Amino acid sequence: MKRARVRSEGVEHDVTVESDGSLRTREGRNLPEESVTWLPPRHGTILAVGLNYRDHASELDFKAPEDPLLFLKAPATLTGHKGLCAYPEGAAHVHYEGELVVVIGRPARKLDRAEALRYVSGYTIANDYAVRDYLENFYRPNLRVKSRDYLTPLGPWIVDAAEIEDPHSLSIRTYVNGELRQEGSTRDMLFDIPALLAHVTSFMTLKPHDMILTGTPKGISRVVPGDEVVVEVERIGRLASRMVSESPRAD
Amino acid sequence: MSIPPPPHGTVICVALNFRAQLEELRFDVPPRTPVLFLKPENCITGHLSPVPHPAGVEAIQPGPALAVVIGKTGRSVCAEDALSLVKGYTLFNDFSLPEESFFRPPVRTKCFDSSGPLGPFTIGRENVPDPHDVTLQCRVNGELRQEGSTRELVWRIPELIEAITSFMTLREDDVIATGFPPGRVDVRAGDTVTISAVGLLELTNPVVAEAP
């Protein structure tokens, strides 16, 4: 089952995505895809993991960390599938980062590795853009780099965990204007999903709809306004977004 | 009897925002912008609610802050207009493990459950004639252990709002904890911690042992 959240004629709906691609509301009504705006799936606290693929860590000249490098994302940064991403005026180093996202299904505290995957309700996709122009060596990556408005496409939907037999054997590919730019596999995570869940829940309780963005493999590169960017995670789907220039005063 | 925290959206905190602390730490390259971190929802708790002391940790340290409560949506707000975004003020207590470094985001150190008491309620901004002249105190079991004044903020409230809204939208009930005085103190299970904005608000929380 694929579950999504969309807006149609000003009303938000929780929908299931049927095998023919139609979007069915809880009331059993079908919404034509072309009539909806995709919203990020229902979410709680959003954690992300930096440098979680060895090849990506070396690409950034970092040694692989000993504990997962965690950071939090402000919810205002999310946007849905096919959303517009606002390119920060004056920035030169805006990089996509295609990632598998783990969605929590029930309250989780002090999990063992062995039981951790039972607390996962599903998986989705994120493009965890970074504006590297704004990096500083305080709480790096800082909020300005990773929590900018409309710069984290998430979705299109959540695929039930039961349908993903092995979340550690999924290919991740990122395309810019149709050109394959990034390719990796979730088998190369430094901290796999049970390790991430055991670590995070060792100090904080995760709740239903909380998410962990599990990191990006090698192959980041710059994007510019006008670029169409697609992150594809095997068996989950394709998350599209378009980079547009931001007006210097958005209010 | 505990009091639920006031309505809140995203809770953004500012580290290294007292001059004396920045001067003492003598960074080769000081921060160019406010040093921000988030306290997620599992942290947020209210007045008189227990703060569990995580098992296996020597000590935790409260951090009193005057917190700005946002009243309306704003993006790219300049400092001159920033105070019009403010609905009021409350207190935020950033319980934290001692920080050995400021290099990586403080998730393990600051995001343990109930580590962010907020409240007891929001007072309208008209009740705070000068938010940059508020004395912050931290008492442990009644004894004054830490004190500072918002006069010492490196980035003042209008500058914080300008800096944050330069990249993200602030919405009604989002909270900015404006800064924590230096000289954090260790507390343990059994201690009672009261922080205050002198003459305005007091926020009290007992520290208890974490449930297994």
Side-chain angles (χ1 to χ4, degrees):
Chain A
M1 181 94 82
K2 295 172 178 164
R3 301 164 205 275
R5 211 160 54 98
V6 298
R7 187 167 50 234
S8 172
E9 294 172 343
V11 181
E12 288 183 16
H13 298 274
D14 289 302
V15 297
T16 54
V17 184
E18 304 300 312
S19 49
D20 63 358
S22 62
L23 307 173
R24 185 162 302 157
T25 67
R26 281 177 173 169
E27 299 76 35
R29 203 151 57 88
N30 276 348
L31 302 174
E33 207 227 302
E34 57 279 7
S35 76
V36 305
T37 303
W38 292 87
L39 303 174
R42 221 160 267 291
H43 52 275
T45 295
I46 306 153
L47 287 144
V49 188
L51 307 177
N52 200 29
Y53 286 77
R54 196 173 303 276
D55 51 5
H56 173 62
S58 58
E59 156 180 79
L60 293 175
D61 278 334
F62 275 104
K63 269 195 235 141
E66 287 171 14
D67 278 327
L69 164 52
L70 296 175
F71 58 96
L72 288 153
K73 306 266 296 178
T77 186
L78 297 183
T79 184
H81 175 50
K82 297 190 174 173
L84 299 182
C85 291
Y87 190 94
E89 205 199 5
H93 302 282
V94 180
H95 295 163
Y96 55 78
E97 296 188 1
E99 309 199 1
L100 174 69
V101 178
V102 173
V103 185
I104 301 301
R106 52 198 173 110
R109 180 169 179 265
K110 299 194 190 295
L111 298 184
D112 291 333
R113 256 197 80 90
E115 59 173 349
L117 285 179
R118 293 210 303 263
Y119 289 75
V120 174
S121 59
Y123 298 94
T124 185
I125 305 170
N127 186 347
D128 187 19
Y129 277 107
V131 188
R132 292 211 150 70
D133 305 68
Y134 301 149
L135 278 170
E136 291 192 61
N137 283 333
F138 298 92
Y139 293 162
R140 177 185 177 123
N142 34 324
L143 263 64
R144 205 172 160 218
V145 176
K146 282 290 188 180
S147 280
R148 194 178 180 89
D149 278 359
Y150 309 113
L151 215 49
T152 309
L154 190 90
W157 44 62
I158 294 173
V159 176
D160 281 358
E163 291 170 32
I164 306 297
E165 200 173 308
D166 181 5
H168 301 103
S169 68
L170 307 176
S171 62
I172 298 180
R173 295 188 179 88
T174 305
Y175 299 85
V176 179
N177 304 322
E179 177 199 348
L180 179 63
R181 294 255 198 110
Q182 182 181 38
E183 187 166 22
S185 166
T186 57
R187 95 170 49 87
D188 296 323
M189 285 183 196
L190 285 171
F191 298 97
D192 64 9
I193 295 162
L196 292 172
L197 290 172
H199 178 72
V200 171
T201 64
S202 73
F203 60 85
M204 65 186 275
T205 302
L206 292 176
K207 301 212 170 71
H209 311 297
D210 286 354
M211 294 182 181
I212 302 179
L213 281 55
T214 57
T216 200
K218 184 179 174 160
I220 54 170
S221 65
R222 287 174 54 193
V223 295
V224 294
D227 283 346
E228 303 274 354
V229 182
V230 172
V231 178
E232 181 183 87
V233 178
E234 189 180 354
R235 310 200 51 200
I236 312 291
R238 290 164 65 87
L239 169 69
S241 59
R242 185 153 59 92
M243 192 59 79
V244 297
S245 54
E246 184 180 33
S247 88
R249 288 248 161 205
D251 50 343
Chain B
M1 260 290 275
S2 58
I3 294 177
H8 56 279
T10 303
V11 177
I12 304 164
C13 304
V14 191
L16 301 173
N17 204 26
F18 271 70
R19 277 186 226 127
Q21 186 187 20
L22 257 193
E23 282 160 17
E24 185 188 329
L25 288 167
R26 295 167 184 260
F27 294 110
D28 291 339
V29 182
R32 294 194 307 266
T33 58
V35 179
L36 306 174
F37 63 95
L38 299 171
K39 292 284 268 206
E41 191 56 30
N42 68 303
C43 300
I44 308 306
T45 191
H47 181 51
L48 302 178
S49 291
V51 173
H53 182 141
V57 167
E58 176 73 8
I60 56 175
Q61 300 178 326
L66 180 70
V68 169
V69 181
I70 296 297
K72 59 180 187 187
T73 301
R75 174 76 203 268
S76 303
V77 179
C78 60
E80 296 77 59
D81 302 334
L83 287 178
S84 70
L85 231 57
V86 175
K87 171 158 76 176
Y89 298 91
T90 188
L91 280 169
F92 183 75
N93 195 347
D94 169 48
F95 280 89
S96 176
L97 308 191
E99 290 190 273
E100 287 159 14
S101 158
F102 296 91
F103 182 47
R104 290 304 187 189
V107 181
R108 194 182 61 82
T109 46
K110 289 187 187 284
C111 295
F112 54 94
D113 293 347
S114 301
S115 61
L118 180 74
F121 53 88
T122 300
I123 54 173
R125 65 173 169 167
E126 67 279 6
N127 298 303
V128 185
D130 185 359
H132 300 103
D133 188 12
V134 173
T135 300
L136 296 166
Q137 292 182 335
C138 177
R139 285 186 157 73
V140 180
N141 306 324
E143 184 189 338
L144 180 63
R145 299 289 302 279
Q146 188 188 12
E147 191 169 36
S149 165
T150 58
R151 282 193 304 273
E152 302 157 48
L153 291 178
V154 178
W155 306 91
R156 291 155 68 94
I157 294 162
E159 296 165 328
L160 292 173
I161 291 172
E162 177 174 303
I164 293 166
T165 65
S166 76
F167 66 88
M168 69 179 271
T169 303
L170 287 173
R171 296 186 169 81
E172 183 171 13
D173 294 326
D174 284 351
V175 171
I176 305 168
T178 56
F180 311 99
R184 284 186 183 235
V185 297
D186 291 351
V187 298
R188 289 179 180 77
D191 289 337
T192 298
V193 178
T194 297
I195 62 168
S196 51
V198 173
L200 297 171
L201 291 163
E202 265 194 9
L203 176 66
T204 296
N205 298 90
V207 179
V208 302
E210 182 185 40

